[in-house]
Amino acid sequence: MSNQLDSSPLGIRIVPIIIGNKVRFVIQDNKTLEPLVALSIYESYLSKKHHSHNTVSHALHKLSFLIAWGKTYGINIDSILLSGEMLEPRQVNSFGAWLSQRGNTQSEAPLEPATINAILIRTSQAFRWFADQYVSLSCRASEREIHLNLYKSAIKDRFSDQQLKVRKKAKADDLTEEEISKIEQYLKPENRLKNNSKLSEAQALRDYLIWRLVIEFGLREGEVLALRLEDCPHQHQNYIKIVRIEERGANYIDPRGVHAPRPKTLSRELGFILKNSPIPKLISDYTTKYRRRKVLEHGKKVFKHIVDMPAFLILSHQHDKGIPLSTSSIQDLAADIRKGSGVENFHWHLGRHAFFNRAYASIIDFKEKDSELHADRLRDLVYWGGWESEQSLQLYINRARSQRAQTTLCFYQKETSEWEALK
């Protein structure tokens, strides 16, 4: 799960607002409410560069640490950035040490080394961008690019020296078959309703549908929450469509506003792998039985199906309102699953990992038998995951290799087996 950074203890307010159909951010001093000019300019650049407002938000939160450090030591970060200048070496050392020491007080959680490195990288990028825009060099225009590149390279090196050594995750986390079974049995509507009298049938069916979409298709939680009725299987479409928000059109509206989920993967159309998948029936039951509200028609109250535009698939607990489920609510469901199933490490992205770990393991044998077929199946998985390159699959490749190694070692350890070379 991503490590969210809270900027409020740092004395910075980052307020999301909607301009048109795009989420933007106002950055202010928490006490005076004065705008932070440099970060506001940088926010404009980031918003133009990135489609996802979550990416912009995370970047601004990381840069809040730089502003907070500057305030602590009386350094005007705004002025330095807007001049295109760079911090002195001793100041960069001070910033790195300050980040490492944070969390020594009871009121602050310690920053993980990977988080510290992410802050340093984002800070380095910001200084280099401002150097591009504002640095003044006393040389001919033809020489400016050469000197500027050397200057930006020095900036990058200065911050890189402060990064901590972090061992990269070798392989993707996974759910065991036993853990998947525990979650499956816990979420089955008939079991859940039996154990929770306060739960409605609509909620039980919806929660099970979410789980099956994640484990059968390897979808991200944001992709599930963004699904609309038109994306679901129907008489003329036996597959599920994942659509990026940018491809929904200029008039796209999500009532969740600034907290609307934004699928970060590429758009794609995914057919069913499991022949006995319950998803089509779950969607059919969920949309026909529970996506309806009582309305007054000709003096009588009758049920009408909810097809508000846009008609989202996954709705909040108040199904008759047609309000899509929020990100916080799906996180609450994950917490409920951890408690109810006993799978204490569960989170939604782990379901995605479980899918792709098994998907890659199913094609790994092709690599030695038929390299072209293996490469073709690998491209299929890249498309399925919504990635832009095969590099995103590396964690799953490593997991499959690890499992093969474990299987081999188990074979060697059998009493009846011998390793001839080691007799």
Side-chain angles (χ1 to χ4, degrees):
M1 299 173 72
S2 60
N3 192 354
Q4 299 291 330
L5 299 175
D6 183 6
S7 63
S8 54
L10 301 170
I12 311 297
R13 280 168 51 94
I14 299 176
V15 185
I17 59 173
I18 295 182
I19 300 178
N21 64 347
K22 189 172 179 64
V23 178
R24 298 290 301 275
F25 298 91
V26 175
I27 306 104
Q28 301 169 301
D29 183 280
N30 210 21
K31 291 183 179 178
T32 66
L33 300 185
E34 292 183 3
L36 301 179
V37 179
L39 255 60
S40 297
I41 293 173
Y42 197 57
E43 184 276 341
S44 180
Y45 156 71
L46 290 174
S47 293
K48 188 177 295 185
K49 179 180 179 182
H50 299 288
H51 289 303
S52 172
H53 63 265
N54 289 328
T55 301
V56 179
S57 174
H58 293 164
L60 295 173
H61 277 77
K62 290 179 178 69
L63 290 172
S64 296
F65 285 85
L66 175 67
I67 303 298
W69 168 79
K71 286 185 177 181
T72 302
Y73 293 98
I75 299 170
N76 190 331
I77 299 298
D78 248 23
S79 176
I80 295 173
L81 289 173
L82 292 173
S83 66
E85 295 297 324
M86 174 53 185
L87 296 174
E88 297 175 11
R90 60 182 179 83
Q91 292 174 323
V92 178
N93 292 340
S94 171
F95 181 49
W98 181 81
L99 288 172
S100 298
Q101 292 165 3
R102 285 184 61 83
N104 292 337
T105 63
Q106 293 181 352
S107 61
E108 295 175 349
L111 294 176
E112 296 290 336
T115 303
I116 291 175
N117 289 350
I119 293 170
L120 290 167
I121 290 170
R122 177 56 70 179
T123 303
S124 172
Q125 291 171 346
F127 269 101
R128 282 178 279 151
W129 183 83
F130 278 98
D132 254 335
Q133 306 300 311
Y134 298 106
V135 74
S136 176
L137 294 173
S138 55
C139 60
R140 291 180 298 180
S142 58
E143 299 174 345
R144 186 180 188 276
E145 192 68 23
I146 298 173
H147 289 287
L148 187 57
N149 285 335
L150 290 172
Y151 178 51
K152 289 193 294 183
S153 179
I155 292 174
K156 185 176 182 180
D157 290 343
R158 201 170 290 181
F159 281 104
S160 295
D161 288 343
Q162 294 301 316
Q163 291 183 34
L164 305 177
K165 188 172 183 178
V166 177
R167 188 178 297 275
K168 292 184 178 180
K169 186 180 286 188
K171 58 188 179 183
D173 296 330
D174 201 2
L175 288 168
T176 65
E177 293 299 300
E178 182 183 4
E179 289 172 333
I180 291 174
S181 179
K182 284 181 178 180
I183 298 170
E184 172 75 9
Q185 294 307 314
Y186 174 69
L187 284 177
K188 278 191 172 178
E190 59 269 27
N191 296 340
R192 198 128 172 265
L193 289 169
K194 188 189 302 181
N195 298 322
N196 190 342
S197 59
K198 296 182 180 180
L199 197 70
S200 70
E201 290 183 8
Q203 283 179 250
L205 188 62
R206 178 204 63 193
D207 295 349
Y208 185 52
L209 173 58
I210 292 172
W211 159 247
R212 293 301 297 232
L213 286 167
V214 170
I215 199 65
E216 281 193 43
F217 287 92
L219 300 186
R220 295 172 180 269
E221 63 187 75
E223 293 171 339
V224 173
L225 293 178
L227 283 173
R228 300 197 298 191
L229 294 186
E230 64 194 65
D231 305 326
C232 298
H234 51 72
Q235 186 177 358
H236 305 291
Q237 172 183 305
N238 190 30
Y239 53 85
I240 287 175
K241 290 193 297 185
I242 308 301
V243 184
R244 286 178 65 91
I245 300 305
E246 294 74 30
E247 297 174 22
R248 293 287 192 188
N251 298 323
Y252 177 80
I253 296 174
D254 191 318
R256 288 166 289 197
V258 297
H259 302 294
R262 298 182 66 87
K264 58 194 296 185
T265 47
L266 300 178
S267 297
R268 55 207 188 276
E269 298 173 349
L270 308 176
F272 290 90
I273 295 175
L274 302 180
K275 292 181 180 179
N276 61 342
S277 172
I279 289 178
K281 188 175 187 306
L282 287 170
I283 292 177
S284 176
D285 289 348
Y286 181 59
T287 54
T288 56
K289 293 181 181 179
Y290 305 110
R291 288 186 58 93
R292 57 183 190 171
R293 64 166 69 100
K294 279 186 177 181
V295 297
L296 195 63
E297 193 173 89
H298 306 300
K300 293 182 180 181
K301 284 189 175 181
V302 296
F303 281 108
K304 286 281 189 179
H305 290 294
I306 300 171
V307 289
D308 301 336
M309 294 300 293
F312 290 91
L313 171 64
I314 305 298
L315 302 184
S316 69
H317 301 335
Q318 296 177 307
H319 285 76
D320 60 328
K321 304 295 184 185
I323 301 172
L325 190 69
S326 66
T327 302
S328 60
S329 293
I330 202 173
Q331 291 299 334
D332 290 342
L333 174 57
D336 181 79
I337 292 171
R338 288 193 289 273
K339 183 178 179 181
S341 68
V343 182
E344 298 179 354
N345 66 327
F346 175 77
H347 53 82
W348 292 112
H349 206 71
L350 198 55
R352 179 174 169 86
H353 282 188
F355 173 86
F356 281 101
N357 282 331
R358 285 156 180 78
Y360 184 77
S362 69
I363 69 169
I364 195 169
D365 288 339
F366 292 144
K367 194 165 188 179
E368 295 176 1
K369 298 176 182 178
D370 190 332
S371 59
E372 289 187 10
L373 181 59
H374 176 268
D376 190 49
R377 292 292 182 267
L378 198 63
R379 287 190 288 271
D380 288 346
L381 285 185
V382 171
Y383 172 83
W384 190 286
W387 295 302
E388 293 184 348
S389 72
E390 294 177 9
Q391 291 181 343
S392 300
L393 268 174
Q394 192 59 50
L395 287 177
Y396 306 105
I397 292 172
N398 292 347
R399 163 65 68 175
R401 285 174 177 165
S402 171
Q403 289 174 337
R404 281 214 304 181
Q406 291 168 5
T407 303
T408 303
L409 290 174
C410 288
F411 174 77
Y412 288 151
Q413 290 165 5
K414 289 180 181 177
E415 293 182 2
T416 56
S417 66
E418 293 181 337
W419 192 345
E420 294 292 327
L422 299 179
K423 276 187 177 180

